[in-house]
């Protein structure tokens, strides 16, 4: 795991953006795994800026981590709407090349299996963007999710309902179920890029990076991934024991 402690979320998003844009320029048909929430918003602004200055997204394909069950794709709070509004509509990406699970699927297990098959047919995810929940979730893989889990319907933890209430008019509007890629699905991405910002993530970040690998903190499964880069702001890095070592390593990388 490569850990970068950045001055702030702006610097972290810029560095993550530069690295992803470089990969799109090298492989214009890159397959991106994408996340929602407030964390990746600055990163998405970097991608939009890159598109405006000539990076071509017309062959890029994408798969989102998750979607609320019960919200139609055109619902203002669906993750499809979030992605269209905050990223896709500002890029020259083809909407048919963007994939978000369908929260209204009649046969959810069949839809989940088909989603996994589509990822496979695309050649797998090249770069998976991740945030982290304050409880250590990645995607909507809440604590005690199997580290081998695949795309499936999940029950959101009470903590997540509480954390996500800020996006809805009433706390009771937050859907209780979602379709989420599994931890096992995420671990198959060729590279994972996790962004973690803010003091409320410090405990989860500590568990993910320096704790034992445990389904109690699903993000800790990334310790088993051979190519994961974590970009933190100072606040999210507060509880890390080896902060100085990460800073040393990140400024002394081989060329
Ligand atoms: P946030 O959520 O970016 O809104 O903090 C992250 C997550 O729950 O994965």
């Amino acid at each position: 795991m490569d850990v970068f402690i950045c001055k702030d979320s702006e610097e972290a998003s810029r560095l993550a953006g530069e690295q992803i844009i470089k990969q799109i320029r090298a492989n214009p048909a890159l397959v991106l795994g994408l996340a929602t929430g407030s964390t990746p918003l600055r990163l998405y602004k970097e991608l939009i800026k890159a598109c405006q200055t000539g990076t071509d997204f017309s062959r890029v394909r994408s798969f989102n981590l998750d979607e609320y069950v019960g919200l139609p794709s055109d619902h203002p709070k669906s993750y499809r709407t979030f992605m269209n509004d905050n990223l896709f509509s500002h890029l020259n990406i083809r909407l048919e090349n963007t994939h978000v699970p369908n929260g209204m699927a009649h046969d959810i297990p069949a839809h989940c299996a088909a989603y996994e098959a589509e990822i496979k047919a695309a050649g797998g995810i090249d770069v998976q963007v991740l945030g982290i929940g304050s409880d250590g979730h990645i995607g909507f893989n809440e604590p005690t999710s199997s580290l081998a889990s695949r795309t499936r319907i999940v029950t959101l933890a009470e903590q997540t309902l509480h954390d996500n209430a800020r996006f809805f008019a009433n706390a009771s509007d937050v859907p209780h179920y979602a379709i989420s890629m599994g931890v096992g699905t995420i671990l198959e991405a060729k590279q994972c890029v996790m962004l973690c910002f803010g003091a409320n993530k410090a405990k989860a970040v500590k568990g993910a990076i320096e704790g034992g690998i445990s389904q109690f903190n699903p993000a800790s499964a990334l310790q088993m991934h051979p190519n994961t880069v974590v970009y933190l702001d100072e606040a999210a890095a507060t509880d890390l024991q080896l902060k100085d070592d990460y800073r040393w390593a990140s400024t002394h990388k081989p060329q």
Side-chain angles (χ1 to χ4, degrees), residues 36-40 131-133 137 139 166-167 201:
T36 52
S38 36
T39 302
I132 190 171
H137 72 212
R166 70 189 195 279
F167 296 115
K201 304 291 175 70

Side-chain angles (χ1 to χ4, degrees), residues 51-62:
C51 183
Q52 287 164 347
T53 53
T55 303
D56 181 20
F57 284 76
S58 65
R59 291 172 57 210
V60 169
R61 291 155 297 160
S62 72

Side-chain angles (χ1 to χ4, degrees), residues 35-41 65-66 79 82 130-140 142 160 163-164 166-167 195 197 200-201:
T36 52
S38 36
T39 302
L41 285 172
L65 284 167
D66 43 25
Y79 282 168
F82 177 98
L130 297 166
I132 190 171
S134 63
D135 62 359
H137 72 212
I138 46 175
F140 270 136
E142 302 287 21
T160 300
D163 288 348
N164 288 7
R166 70 189 195 279
F167 296 115
L195 302 169
F197 304 143
N200 67 323
K201 304 291 175 70

Side-chain angles (χ1 to χ4, degrees), residues 1-47:
M1 213 183 246
D2 277 337
V3 178
F4 290 88
I5 302 173
C6 303
K7 186 168 86 238
D8 51 27
S9 60
E10 207 164 317
E11 181 185 65
S13 305
R14 186 174 47 73
L15 292 175
E18 278 171 9
Q19 122 168 42
I20 292 171
I21 292 156
K22 208 190 280 178
Q23 294 194 57
I24 294 171
R25 287 180 178 271
N27 172 14
L30 199 79
V31 181
L32 285 174
L34 296 173
T36 52
S38 36
T39 302
L41 285 172
R42 278 183 195 275
L43 166 65
Y44 292 163
K45 289 205 165 82
E46 295 292 327
L47 300 185

Side-chain angles (χ1 to χ4, degrees), residues 34-36 44 64 79-88:
L34 296 173
T36 52
Y44 292 163
N64 262 78
Y79 282 168
R80 163 53 79 177
T81 299
F82 177 98
M83 291 308 299
N84 287 353
D85 290 353
N86 291 294
L87 185 64
F88 300 147

Side-chain angles (χ1 to χ4, degrees), residues 111-126:
H111 177 65
C112 294
Y115 200 70
E116 290 267 344
E118 277 186 291
I119 294 173
K120 210 169 180 176
I125 290 170
D126 292 307

